[in-house]
Amino acid sequence: MPDLPLAMLAELTHRCPLMCPYCSNPQELTARDRELTTEQWADVFRQAADLGVLQLHLSGGEPASRRDLVELVIAAREAGLYTNLITSGIGLTEARLEALNDAGLDHIQLSVQGVRAEIADRIGGYKGGFDRKMQVADHIARLGFPLTLNAVMHRDNLDDLPATIAMAERLGARRIEIACVQFQGWALANRARLQPTRAQVDRAKGIVRDAVEQMKRRLVIDFVPPDYYSDLPKACMSGWGSTGLNVTPDGTVLPCHAAQTIPHLIFERVTDRPLAAIWHDSPAFNAYRGTDWMPDLCRSCDRREVDFGGCRCQALAILGDASAPDPVCRKSPGRAVLDALLAEEGKADDTYIYRRT
Ligand code: FES
């Protein structure tokens, strides 16, 4: 019997005004006419709460692109879920934020692409986006929402890390999540362009160490270093099908946001089968759950229940085999492939492949 999920990420829509080249959405985006309706999402939220989910992350795309966002928050709160809105801020007017506050929205995670308009608007592919975002941050602070700043870092903005942390404090955030880009979806297509250098990463770790010390009790700083420079894999999703699940705009239920890249798995939709049945019984959720599926190298490792073999989608993307040990692992034969990739990256030109809808 699997554990029950604690958190659900609801990708309400893949629509987004920004075009970030590091977007983790799939390269084949779901069209608006295939999105779940308000009532269907409300039903998913009730089913999630019945299954044991406590926290609901409303994401996208840009969730504010859904006109019914306030109704969705009301439905989630009625289901008893803690609601967190993950947003670029574009599309959130002051009146809309007030309505979200009245609806009971618990928390906001605001993404930032850079600390200056020039770089932020270039990365987001949206002129004027930075200024709009700063206005939204003011409204968020005035309404008293608990705020986390989400900063996705890569080669072009990692050197601005001190200014990024200072910006979080200036905007009144309680927490900043500094996540070096994870190479899924559109980010994978831009990997060579976005991969930070080892020197940047080493500097960033020192900056974070000092900032954590200096900002104790003022700002919580969470840092996700880039995988490829680690020696040990991370426990992706805390283990496949263990504590969290994702629902895509058309109701497809996934163990992680990139799972659909694994071609031999069939993912079911919550419109066809109850969420609990999918969680407990679907072959896709059971494919990499626990330790039974592991190759010998992982099964005999004393970290098998620490990292659960790492990231299946990464093993597929780099080695072409989703059941191979995560190539980040120093003990894995796939590590040589990853090192060869790293040696080539950094030589890419200046061009981003922007996300397109
Ligand atoms: Fe799918 Fe890591 S992103 S298992």
Side-chain angles (χ1 to χ4, degrees):
M1 186 81 164
D3 291 338
L4 297 175
L6 295 173
M8 183 171 88
L9 183 92
E11 290 177 5
L12 298 178
T13 177
H14 278 159
R15 288 174 283 141
C16 184
L18 301 190
M19 303 193 299
C20 304
Y22 59 68
C23 182
S24 62
N25 280 167
Q27 292 192 31
E28 209 162 303
L29 295 162
T30 302
R32 178 184 198 147
D33 60 4
R34 290 180 47 216
E35 291 174 8
L36 296 186
T37 63
T38 316
E39 293 69 31
Q40 285 173 318
W41 274 118
D43 182 47
V44 175
F45 300 158
R46 283 190 293 272
Q47 290 192 49
D50 289 346
L51 179 58
V53 168
L54 300 173
Q55 293 184 3
L56 175 67
H57 303 288
L58 298 164
S59 174
E62 171 48 60
S65 298
R66 290 275 309 211
R67 292 222 178 100
D68 57 355
L69 182 60
V70 173
E71 289 160 80
L72 292 172
V73 169
I74 292 171
R77 297 290 285 125
E78 281 174 0
L81 296 168
Y82 176 91
T83 48
N84 174 36
L85 180 68
I86 303 173
T87 178
S88 68
I90 308 299
L92 286 179
T93 59
E94 188 170 12
R96 229 171 157 206
L97 279 163
E98 275 171 11
L100 287 167
N101 198 23
D102 293 344
L105 179 67
D106 292 291
H107 184 270
I108 295 181
Q109 282 182 242
L110 181 69
S111 66
V112 287
Q113 282 69 30
V115 290
R116 296 176 305 282
E118 175 272 324
I119 183 169
D121 292 357
R122 179 165 63 80
I123 293 170
Y126 188 88
K127 201 164 167 20
F130 180 80
D131 291 343
R132 294 265 294 278
K133 207 179 277 278
M134 292 302 106
Q135 286 166 8
V136 170
D138 279 350
H139 300 322
I140 290 172
R142 189 181 59 73
L143 289 165
F145 279 111
L147 172 67
T148 292
L149 212 63
N150 276 7
V152 175
M153 308 303 282
H154 44 82
R155 195 187 319 154
D156 285 349
N157 66 4
L158 195 51
D159 292 336
D160 287 333
L161 184 54
T164 309
I165 296 171
M167 181 161 86
E169 198 175 28
R170 199 170 61 246
L171 296 179
R174 295 185 187 178
R175 178 173 164 263
I176 180 169
E177 193 173 301
I178 303 158
C180 290
V181 60
Q182 306 288 304
F183 294 110
Q184 313 288 356
W186 291 89
L188 186 58
N190 284 288
R191 185 177 58 200
R193 181 72 190 82
L194 295 172
Q195 188 76 261
T197 64
R198 188 178 285 279
Q200 280 182 306
V201 174
D202 290 344
R203 258 196 318 275
K205 286 181 179 167
I207 291 166
V208 169
R209 238 187 339 264
D210 292 348
V212 166
E213 191 53 38
Q214 283 160 17
M215 297 193 155
K216 259 191 223 150
R217 289 186 280 278
R218 285 179 6 233
L219 181 69
V220 175
I221 302 176
D222 287 329
F223 180 55
V224 183
D227 245 12
Y228 288 26
Y229 292 109
S230 302
D231 291 333
L232 297 168
K234 65 175 185 303
C236 198
M237 296 296 289
S238 309
W240 181 277
S242 66
T243 57
L245 74 164
N246 289 16
V247 182
T248 71
D250 69 357
T252 305
V253 187
L254 306 177
C256 68
H257 60 276
Q260 282 171 304
T261 58
I262 303 177
H264 69 275
L265 296 182
I266 296 169
F267 298 101
E268 297 172 272
R269 294 179 63 204
V270 70
T271 45
D272 299 330
R273 198 178 182 198
L275 193 64
I278 296 175
W279 174 262
H280 287 293
D281 303 327
S282 80
F285 267 82
N286 284 317
Y288 302 113
R289 209 169 229 157
T291 55
D292 288 352
W293 63 272
M294 288 180 175
D296 288 346
L297 182 70
C298 300
R299 205 167 336 143
S300 60
C301 177
D302 56 10
R303 286 179 52 86
R304 65 187 169 279
E305 289 187 0
V306 177
D307 60 35
F308 294 96
C311 178
R312 299 303 85 229
C313 301
Q314 186 149 274
L316 179 85
I318 293 172
L319 306 172
D321 177 3
S323 52
D326 188 326
V328 165
C329 180
R330 281 278 161 211
K331 296 189 216 162
S332 142
R335 181 69 213 196
V337 180
L338 194 71
D339 285 338
L341 266 177
L342 271 177
E344 278 311 299
E345 289 171 353
K347 298 178 187 164
D349 65 18
D350 265 342
T351 330
Y352 293 138
I353 301 168
Y354 282 102
R355 177 202 136 113
R356 290 177 306 276
T357 18

